[in-house]
Amino acid sequence: DTAVSQTPKYLVTQMGNDKSIKCEQNLGHDTMYWYKQDSKKFLKIMFSYNNKELIINETVPNRFSPKSPDKAHLNLHINSLELGDSAVYFCASSLRPYREDGYTFGSGTRLTVV
Amino acid sequence: KQEVTQIPAALSVPEGENLVLNCSFTDSAIYNLQWFRQDPGKGLTSLLLIQSSQREQTSGRLNASLDKSSGRSTLYIAASQPGDSATYLCAVEDYGQNFVFGPGTRLSVLP
């Protein structure tokens, strides 16, 4: 299946832990994104990489660090997890970093910090 | 605060019918509007993207229109097929590259 796939789908962890969420796309897209679902249907952009280079870095705590080993992968590492980090995180990709291209989203990772 | 609604919530039609899905948004200050398809357990695939300056986009049997001033978009599916069965979501993107999604319309096309 051609798609954007995120792992894991669910992640429950204790405060203070460090965790990673992985994202892979096999669409041949150059640009990948991480979004946080802030409320029921609002996805706030966190980061964007184009061909392994960081192009968008919104105001997020520096405990969040994206890593793109190649243009098909964009992982999100979170250090010292806090209760407020609990949310659904979505990975997405687009052919190019221009906003006239459609996005493909993964199915989300539900992170619960206890 | 932007809100997006979709009507109907669910739709069941026989194969071959033409159908219309509706999307409304409250704030017309959008960058673009996209229609997505979601299959069970899968992510979202963009079907059509309409820039705020455009009125419609077409791809195959799909046609999406945008009336930004009235805060409405429609997705027209011609000659529906069982493979079209999925949840269809519309989403508006703001100038900050954030998205607000509608709740979706669950479509079933019966053979």
Side-chain angles (χ1 to χ4, degrees), chain A residues 20-68:
Chain A
S20 291
I21 307 172
K22 296 187 176 183
C23 180
E24 176 181 6
Q25 55 93 4
N26 60 3
L27 298 161
H29 288 173
D30 279 350
T31 311
M32 296 184 72
Y33 311 83
W34 276 110
Y35 283 84
K36 180 181 180 183
Q37 187 172 38
D38 261 358
S39 62
K40 194 171 182 187
K41 293 292 178 185
F42 180 70
L43 268 59
K44 184 166 176 57
I45 190 163
M46 300 172 69
F47 304 104
S48 175
Y49 271 72
N50 182 58
N51 211 356
K52 300 193 296 176
E53 287 194 27
L54 182 65
I55 57 172
I56 294 176
N57 185 4
E58 291 295 309
T59 307
V60 301
N62 58 15
R63 298 180 295 102
F64 290 78
S65 55
K67 285 186 174 50
S68 182

Side-chain angles (χ1 to χ4, degrees), chain A residues 1-2 4 9 33 35 39 41-45 48 56 58 90 97 99-107, chain B residues 1 31-32 34 36 38 41-46 49 51 89 93-103:
Chain A
D1 271 2
T2 54
V4 176
K9 283 191 180 309
Y33 311 83
Y35 283 84
S39 62
K41 293 292 178 185
F42 180 70
L43 268 59
K44 184 166 176 57
I45 190 163
S48 175
I56 294 176
E58 291 295 309
F90 286 89
R99 294 171 68 186
E100 65 265 24
D101 291 338
Y103 290 60
T104 300
F105 282 86
S107 54
Chain B
K1 181 183 159 190
Y31 190 86
N32 62 40
Q34 293 185 60
F36 291 87
Q38 183 172 35
K42 306 278 186 177
L44 307 175
T45 300
S46 182
L49 181 153
Q51 300 281 1
L89 298 110
E93 184 180 354
D94 65 21
Y95 284 83
Q97 221 160 332
N98 306 304
F99 284 87
V100 181
F101 278 81

